[in-house]
Amino acid sequence: MEHKYLITEIIEEPQFADGKMLFETLRDVDKSMADHVHIYRDIQNDYKSYIEMWVHEVKTPLAAAKLILDNNPTAVSESLCEEIEKIESFVEQALFYARSSNPEKDYIIKKIPLQESVNRVIRKHSKSFIYKKIRIEIKDIDTFVYSDTKWLEFILDQIIGNALKYMPQENGLLQIFCEQVENAVYLHIKDNGIGIASHELPRIFDKGFTGSNGRTNEKATGIGLYLCKTLCDKLYLNIQASSIQREGTTITITFPISKLMLLK
């Protein structure tokens, strides 16, 4: 049984006196445990609802602050805009984390143009690419996949944002390309950053894992790739990583090609 405290649901009530007393005692214990579980489940749901409400509320003053800075352009305001965009990214991550346990309530699987999603995420990080003088090579992504646009772009945003943290300035290179086979499309996101140690590679999608690279980068939280893995599982996508230290890392997302992916 998945829930051991529900044992009285699968056994028959005995007909002798001692057995009836034990059965009633077990049933009381089971009910108490079930009530206890419901209390904590309600607390968790209330907290999740609060986080979602907070995220939506905080977006308004952030958008207003960006608008004020855009209308009063200076060297300082441009820097402040970049910092606000970083805050917006963390706020968005908090929202997706709160929803990651039940994303099926918030996504719609449909046929989408992969190139448009990739381009939107690249534009979001355009200032960082320009500032760090990192080149981008995009090819063979003019194809369609089955996924949810919003969730997919969040996954791409986390991967590309992660690559930007660890790529060298001026000679950095980010390559995004597709490989199509009969029943799947493989999207590869390859960087020439510092790479990941082979013994740490199996753990990069674990919650909170930052590894040796995270210890040198105080901004690492170990949440981004964990969310990518969680959401990919919910979207029926496969995500894998390969890496060589001091040469770079490649993240590969596999999109199954089948109309069965459409949830009608």
Side-chain angles (χ1 to χ4, degrees):
M1 290 177 60
E2 183 182 353
H3 305 292
K4 303 297 187 294
Y5 56 86
L6 297 177
I7 191 171
T8 53
E9 300 293 330
I10 62 170
I11 61 175
E12 294 182 2
E13 183 176 357
Q15 298 303 312
F16 56 96
D18 290 346
K20 286 185 177 182
M21 291 176 60
L22 178 60
F23 183 83
E24 288 298 326
T25 302
L26 284 174
R27 189 156 59 183
D28 288 342
V29 169
D30 292 348
K31 184 179 183 304
S32 176
M33 176 57 71
D35 291 343
H36 195 64
V37 169
H38 283 302
I39 289 171
Y40 281 95
R41 187 175 294 157
D42 289 341
I43 292 172
Q44 185 181 35
N45 289 335
D46 287 344
Y47 181 71
K48 177 186 170 184
S49 297
Y50 169 74
I51 292 296
E52 291 182 3
M53 180 196 70
W54 179 86
V55 167
H56 287 297
E57 291 295 329
V58 82
K59 280 183 177 181
T60 302
L62 287 174
K66 281 183 69 176
L67 185 61
I68 293 169
L69 292 171
D70 287 340
N71 291 332
N72 298 274
T74 63
V76 174
S77 65
E78 187 174 343
S79 297
L80 286 173
C81 271
E82 291 180 8
E83 297 305 314
I84 290 175
E85 287 174 358
K86 291 177 184 177
I87 295 172
E88 286 178 327
S89 178
F90 286 123
V91 167
E92 186 178 25
Q93 191 181 75
L95 177 61
F96 276 82
Y97 182 80
R99 292 178 174 176
S100 63
S101 57
N102 300 106
E104 61 275 5
K105 297 180 180 179
D106 190 45
Y107 71 61
I108 301 174
I109 301 288
K110 62 181 181 180
K111 189 176 181 180
I112 61 173
L114 182 59
Q115 187 168 6
E116 290 184 10
S117 293
V118 171
N119 288 341
R120 274 194 290 268
V121 176
I122 291 295
R123 282 196 296 270
K124 181 179 177 181
H125 293 279
S126 59
K127 290 181 180 178
S128 295
F129 281 107
I130 294 169
Y131 175 75
K132 291 188 173 184
K133 298 180 181 178
I134 292 174
R135 292 184 297 120
I136 309 170
E137 289 183 3
I138 301 176
K139 60 181 180 180
D140 302 328
I141 65 169
D142 187 12
T143 186
F144 289 88
V145 295
Y146 291 98
S147 189
D148 176 87
T149 304
K150 182 173 66 174
W151 291 91
L152 175 59
E153 289 180 11
F154 175 79
I155 293 168
L156 295 175
D157 178 66
Q158 296 299 304
I159 295 170
I160 291 173
N162 223 40
L164 280 167
K165 291 179 186 177
Y166 301 105
M167 277 195 290
Q169 293 193 29
E170 298 190 2
N171 62 343
L173 174 63
L174 183 70
Q175 296 173 292
I176 302 175
F177 56 97
C178 279
E179 176 189 355
Q180 191 157 351
V181 296
E182 184 179 357
N183 296 316
V185 171
Y186 299 98
L187 175 65
H188 304 286
I189 303 172
K190 182 179 181 180
D191 66 63
N192 65 339
I194 59 178
I196 302 167
S198 58
H199 67 278
E200 294 180 347
L201 202 55
R203 300 179 59 195
I204 64 169
F205 296 111
D206 291 351
K207 183 179 178 181
F209 180 75
T210 58
S212 54
N213 292 341
R215 291 178 179 85
T216 60
N217 186 341
E218 296 179 356
K219 297 178 183 178
T221 61
I223 295 297
L225 289 179
Y226 162 75
L227 283 176
C228 289
K229 174 63 175 173
T230 302
L231 299 181
C232 280
D233 289 344
K234 297 290 185 179
L235 291 169
Y236 305 102
L237 306 178
N238 184 43
I239 183 169
Q240 293 179 316
S242 60
S243 182
I244 300 175
Q245 277 193 294
R246 294 179 294 279
E247 290 188 20
T249 302
T250 301
I251 303 292
T252 301
I253 301 175
T254 305
F255 298 88
I257 299 300
S258 169
K259 289 190 178 180
L260 292 175
M261 295 298 296
L262 286 171
L263 301 180
K264 294 184 179 179

